[in-house]
mmCIF file with all atom_site columns, all heavy atoms in Angstrom:
data_model
loop_
_atom_site.group_PDB
_atom_site.id
_atom_site.type_symbol
_atom_site.label_atom_id
_atom_site.label_alt_id
_atom_site.label_comp_id
_atom_site.label_asym_id
_atom_site.label_entity_id
_atom_site.label_seq_id
_atom_site.pdbx_PDB_ins_code
_atom_site.Cartn_x
_atom_site.Cartn_y
_atom_site.Cartn_z
_atom_site.occupancy
_atom_site.B_iso_or_equiv
_atom_site.pdbx_formal_charge
_atom_site.auth_seq_id
_atom_site.auth_comp_id
_atom_site.auth_asym_id
_atom_site.auth_atom_id
_atom_site.pdbx_PDB_model_num
ATOM 1  N N   . ARG A 1 244 ? 205.314 257.101 168.251 1.00 0.00 ? 244 ARG A N   1
ATOM 2  C CA  . ARG A 1 244 ? 204.235 258.033 167.948 1.00 0.00 ? 244 ARG A CA  1
ATOM 3  C C   . ARG A 1 244 ? 204.014 258.199 166.450 1.00 0.00 ? 244 ARG A C   1
ATOM 4  O O   . ARG A 1 244 ? 202.875 258.235 165.979 1.00 0.00 ? 244 ARG A O   1
ATOM 5  C CB  . ARG A 1 244 ? 204.518 259.396 168.596 1.00 0.00 ? 244 ARG A CB  1
ATOM 6  C CG  . ARG A 1 244 ? 203.347 260.357 168.461 1.00 0.00 ? 244 ARG A CG  1
ATOM 7  C CD  . ARG A 1 244 ? 203.526 261.578 169.332 1.00 0.00 ? 244 ARG A CD  1
ATOM 8  N NE  . ARG A 1 244 ? 202.362 262.435 169.255 1.00 0.00 ? 244 ARG A NE  1
ATOM 9  C CZ  . ARG A 1 244 ? 201.237 262.244 169.917 1.00 0.00 ? 244 ARG A CZ  1
ATOM 10 N NH1 . ARG A 1 244 ? 201.117 261.202 170.699 1.00 0.00 ? 244 ARG A NH1 1
ATOM 11 N NH2 . ARG A 1 244 ? 200.236 263.078 169.804 1.00 0.00 ? 244 ARG A NH2 1
ATOM 12 N N   . LEU A 1 248 ? 200.531 257.502 164.252 1.00 0.00 ? 248 LEU A N   1
ATOM 13 C CA  . LEU A 1 248 ? 199.932 258.428 163.286 1.00 0.00 ? 248 LEU A CA  1
ATOM 14 C C   . LEU A 1 248 ? 199.651 257.701 161.973 1.00 0.00 ? 248 LEU A C   1
ATOM 15 O O   . LEU A 1 248 ? 198.587 257.883 161.361 1.00 0.00 ? 248 LEU A O   1
ATOM 16 C CB  . LEU A 1 248 ? 200.866 259.617 163.045 1.00 0.00 ? 248 LEU A CB  1
ATOM 17 C CG  . LEU A 1 248 ? 200.468 260.581 161.921 1.00 0.00 ? 248 LEU A CG  1
ATOM 18 C CD1 . LEU A 1 248 ? 199.119 261.221 162.201 1.00 0.00 ? 248 LEU A CD1 1
ATOM 19 C CD2 . LEU A 1 248 ? 201.544 261.657 161.736 1.00 0.00 ? 248 LEU A CD2 1
ATOM 20 N N   . LEU A 1 281 ? 195.080 258.757 167.701 1.00 0.00 ? 281 LEU A N   1
ATOM 21 C CA  . LEU A 1 281 ? 195.627 260.112 167.747 1.00 0.00 ? 281 LEU A CA  1
ATOM 22 C C   . LEU A 1 281 ? 195.518 260.732 169.132 1.00 0.00 ? 281 LEU A C   1
ATOM 23 O O   . LEU A 1 281 ? 195.828 261.909 169.329 1.00 0.00 ? 281 LEU A O   1
ATOM 24 C CB  . LEU A 1 281 ? 194.906 260.999 166.722 1.00 0.00 ? 281 LEU A CB  1
ATOM 25 C CG  . LEU A 1 281 ? 195.149 260.627 165.258 1.00 0.00 ? 281 LEU A CG  1
ATOM 26 C CD1 . LEU A 1 281 ? 194.131 261.301 164.352 1.00 0.00 ? 281 LEU A CD1 1
ATOM 27 C CD2 . LEU A 1 281 ? 196.569 260.985 164.832 1.00 0.00 ? 281 LEU A CD2 1
ATOM 28 N N   . SER A 1 321 ? 200.955 270.687 160.181 1.00 0.00 ? 321 SER A N   1
ATOM 29 C CA  . SER A 1 321 ? 201.240 269.553 161.057 1.00 0.00 ? 321 SER A CA  1
ATOM 30 C C   . SER A 1 321 ? 200.486 268.329 160.555 1.00 0.00 ? 321 SER A C   1
ATOM 31 O O   . SER A 1 321 ? 199.270 268.375 160.369 1.00 0.00 ? 321 SER A O   1
ATOM 32 C CB  . SER A 1 321 ? 200.805 269.888 162.486 1.00 0.00 ? 321 SER A CB  1
ATOM 33 O OG  . SER A 1 321 ? 200.633 268.713 163.238 1.00 0.00 ? 321 SER A OG  1
ATOM 34 N N   . ALA A 1 322 ? 201.216 267.229 160.370 1.00 0.00 ? 322 ALA A N   1
ATOM 35 C CA  . ALA A 1 322 ? 200.583 265.998 159.881 1.00 0.00 ? 322 ALA A CA  1
ATOM 36 C C   . ALA A 1 322 ? 199.542 265.495 160.873 1.00 0.00 ? 322 ALA A C   1
ATOM 37 O O   . ALA A 1 322 ? 198.479 265.007 160.483 1.00 0.00 ? 322 ALA A O   1
ATOM 38 C CB  . ALA A 1 322 ? 201.652 264.938 159.636 1.00 0.00 ? 322 ALA A CB  1
ATOM 39 N N   . THR A 1 323 ? 199.831 265.622 162.170 1.00 0.00 ? 323 THR A N   1
ATOM 40 C CA  . THR A 1 323 ? 198.884 265.153 163.183 1.00 0.00 ? 323 THR A CA  1
ATOM 41 C C   . THR A 1 323 ? 197.619 265.989 163.174 1.00 0.00 ? 323 THR A C   1
ATOM 42 O O   . THR A 1 323 ? 196.503 265.450 163.238 1.00 0.00 ? 323 THR A O   1
ATOM 43 C CB  . THR A 1 323 ? 199.535 265.186 164.573 1.00 0.00 ? 323 THR A CB  1
ATOM 44 O OG1 . THR A 1 323 ? 200.692 264.354 164.569 1.00 0.00 ? 323 THR A OG1 1
ATOM 45 C CG2 . THR A 1 323 ? 198.570 264.707 165.635 1.00 0.00 ? 323 THR A CG2 1
ATOM 46 N N   . GLU A 1 324 ? 197.766 267.314 163.122 1.00 0.00 ? 324 GLU A N   1
ATOM 47 C CA  . GLU A 1 324 ? 196.589 268.183 163.099 1.00 0.00 ? 324 GLU A CA  1
ATOM 48 C C   . GLU A 1 324 ? 195.716 267.874 161.882 1.00 0.00 ? 324 GLU A C   1
ATOM 49 O O   . GLU A 1 324 ? 194.486 267.811 161.988 1.00 0.00 ? 324 GLU A O   1
ATOM 50 C CB  . GLU A 1 324 ? 197.020 269.668 163.066 1.00 0.00 ? 324 GLU A CB  1
ATOM 51 C CG  . GLU A 1 324 ? 197.800 270.139 164.272 1.00 0.00 ? 324 GLU A CG  1
ATOM 52 C CD  . GLU A 1 324 ? 196.920 270.325 165.502 1.00 0.00 ? 324 GLU A CD  1
ATOM 53 O OE1 . GLU A 1 324 ? 195.707 270.052 165.418 1.00 0.00 ? 324 GLU A OE1 1
ATOM 54 O OE2 . GLU A 1 324 ? 197.445 270.725 166.549 1.00 0.00 ? 324 GLU A OE2 1
ATOM 55 N N   . LEU A 1 325 ? 196.345 267.685 160.743 1.00 0.00 ? 325 LEU A N   1
ATOM 56 C CA  . LEU A 1 325 ? 195.575 267.388 159.531 1.00 0.00 ? 325 LEU A CA  1
ATOM 57 C C   . LEU A 1 325 ? 194.859 266.049 159.643 1.00 0.00 ? 325 LEU A C   1
ATOM 58 O O   . LEU A 1 325 ? 193.714 265.906 159.199 1.00 0.00 ? 325 LEU A O   1
ATOM 59 C CB  . LEU A 1 325 ? 196.500 267.386 158.313 1.00 0.00 ? 325 LEU A CB  1
ATOM 60 C CG  . LEU A 1 325 ? 197.020 268.750 157.856 1.00 0.00 ? 325 LEU A CG  1
ATOM 61 C CD1 . LEU A 1 325 ? 197.974 268.584 156.676 1.00 0.00 ? 325 LEU A CD1 1
ATOM 62 C CD2 . LEU A 1 325 ? 195.873 269.666 157.457 1.00 0.00 ? 325 LEU A CD2 1
ATOM 63 N N   . GLU A 1 326 ? 195.524 265.060 160.241 1.00 0.00 ? 326 GLU A N   1
ATOM 64 C CA  . GLU A 1 326 ? 194.883 263.755 160.359 1.00 0.00 ? 326 GLU A CA  1
ATOM 65 C C   . GLU A 1 326 ? 193.713 263.797 161.331 1.00 0.00 ? 326 GLU A C   1
ATOM 66 O O   . GLU A 1 326 ? 192.685 263.141 161.118 1.00 0.00 ? 326 GLU A O   1
ATOM 67 C CB  . GLU A 1 326 ? 195.902 262.698 160.791 1.00 0.00 ? 326 GLU A CB  1
ATOM 68 C CG  . GLU A 1 326 ? 195.465 261.272 160.534 1.00 0.00 ? 326 GLU A CG  1
ATOM 69 C CD  . GLU A 1 326 ? 195.015 261.020 159.108 1.00 0.00 ? 326 GLU A CD  1
ATOM 70 O OE1 . GLU A 1 326 ? 195.772 261.320 158.171 1.00 0.00 ? 326 GLU A OE1 1
ATOM 71 O OE2 . GLU A 1 326 ? 193.882 260.535 158.922 1.00 0.00 ? 326 GLU A OE2 1
ATOM 72 N N   . VAL A 1 327 ? 193.852 264.579 162.402 1.00 0.00 ? 327 VAL A N   1
ATOM 73 C CA  . VAL A 1 327 ? 192.726 264.770 163.321 1.00 0.00 ? 327 VAL A CA  1
ATOM 74 C C   . VAL A 1 327 ? 191.562 265.415 162.576 1.00 0.00 ? 327 VAL A C   1
ATOM 75 O O   . VAL A 1 327 ? 190.398 265.005 162.727 1.00 0.00 ? 327 VAL A O   1
ATOM 76 C CB  . VAL A 1 327 ? 193.133 265.633 164.531 1.00 0.00 ? 327 VAL A CB  1
ATOM 77 C CG1 . VAL A 1 327 ? 191.898 266.029 165.343 1.00 0.00 ? 327 VAL A CG1 1
ATOM 78 C CG2 . VAL A 1 327 ? 194.115 264.886 165.422 1.00 0.00 ? 327 VAL A CG2 1
ATOM 79 N N   . ALA A 1 328 ? 191.868 266.425 161.759 1.00 0.00 ? 328 ALA A N   1
ATOM 80 C CA  . ALA A 1 328 ? 190.814 267.102 160.996 1.00 0.00 ? 328 ALA A CA  1
ATOM 81 C C   . ALA A 1 328 ? 190.104 266.127 160.067 1.00 0.00 ? 328 ALA A C   1
ATOM 82 O O   . ALA A 1 328 ? 188.873 266.147 159.949 1.00 0.00 ? 328 ALA A O   1
ATOM 83 C CB  . ALA A 1 328 ? 191.414 268.264 160.197 1.00 0.00 ? 328 ALA A CB  1
#
Side-chain angles (χ1 to χ4, degrees):
R244 187 169 184 80
L248 172 61
L281 294 165
S321 160
T323 301
E324 297 286 2
L325 288 177
E326 198 52 54
V327 170

